[in-house]
Amino acid sequence: MRIGFAVPVSGAWATPAHQAEVARRAEELGYHSLWTLQRLLNPADSPDRTYRDVPDPLVTLAYLAGLTRRIRLGVAVVNMPFVAPPLLAKQATTLDHVSGGRLDLGLGSGWMPAEFAAVGTPMARRGARAEEFLAVLRTLWTDEVSEFHGEFYDVPPVVMEPKPLQRPGPPVLLGGTADAALRRAGRLAAG
């Protein structure tokens, strides 16, 4: 059995010092993986403080990559509608390189209306947007010359280098609870 757990990702305990301590100790003890999560914003009127004070997950994983050597590093999840596919493709590739090929990339479609409003992306058709997003990631990670023309994303012929260490790219895990999201994960993701 492979066991992984979250580094401190929320609240007062989510400091670089605590994250480093947990990561180093987890690697010493032989754990399989460490995980972060993304939460961009929270509604100001929400009494729920669970996901306040959350650092950026990819920056956190890059920091932890420099402090560890073996343990896998994962994010559960980066919400695809909040970033452009070429930007995430480059960030994930760079993280894959600095970690020596230890990245597991969890992606989701988002659920919080305030975050969608703040980034200027409509919540409608998240599933279709996710499918195109994944297609753009794959072409950028695998094709010598990448090109994609869809409803949501339009990528002219481009070259993205370097390519990820893990081939054809970091394992992509898809989050979601709706039936359509679960089917999408089964069709398009490593988990």
Side-chain angles (χ1 to χ4, degrees):
M1 179 180 295
R2 296 177 177 167
I3 300 174
F5 59 93
V7 296
V9 293
S10 177
W13 198 45
T15 66
H18 287 130
Q19 292 166 340
E21 181 180 349
V22 168
R24 287 181 178 131
R25 186 71 174 136
E27 187 163 74
E28 278 176 24
L29 294 172
Y31 283 92
H32 178 260
S33 55
L34 296 169
W35 293 86
T36 61
L37 59 83
Q38 180 188 56
R39 181 85 288 128
L40 290 180
L41 310 163
N42 289 277
D45 60 354
S46 174
D48 184 0
R49 302 198 56 85
T50 305
Y51 297 114
R52 299 254 173 137
D53 198 20
V54 176
D56 181 83
L58 299 179
V59 172
T60 299
L61 290 177
Y63 170 65
L64 297 178
L67 300 175
T68 59
R69 297 289 166 254
R70 177 200 54 77
I71 199 164
R72 290 205 59 88
L73 305 167
V75 56
V77 298
V78 170
N79 289 300
M80 294 176 277
F82 305 163
V83 295
L87 175 61
L88 186 63
K90 181 61 83 170
Q91 289 173 323
T93 296
T94 302
L95 184 49
D96 197 49
H97 277 266
V98 301
S99 71
R102 295 183 286 145
L103 176 64
D104 291 323
L105 183 62
L107 301 174
S109 295
W111 58 269
M112 187 183 295
E115 287 180 314
F116 278 89
V119 298
T121 301
M123 286 187 73
R125 304 196 22 95
R126 290 176 290 172
R129 182 181 298 275
E131 297 216 12
E132 283 192 16
F133 192 105
L134 293 168
V136 174
L137 283 184
R138 285 197 173 82
T139 186
L140 290 169
W141 285 344
T142 61
D143 297 340
E144 187 175 321
V145 175
S146 302
E147 184 173 5
F148 182 86
H149 305 286
E151 177 183 352
F152 304 99
Y153 303 106
D154 191 58
V155 180
V158 296
V159 174
M160 189 189 96
E161 294 175 333
K163 299 296 185 196
L165 288 179
Q166 297 180 86
R167 306 303 279 146
V172 172
L173 310 172
L174 289 180
T177 56
D179 287 344
L182 295 173
R183 284 193 301 275
R184 186 176 309 108
R187 280 188 296 107
L188 300 174

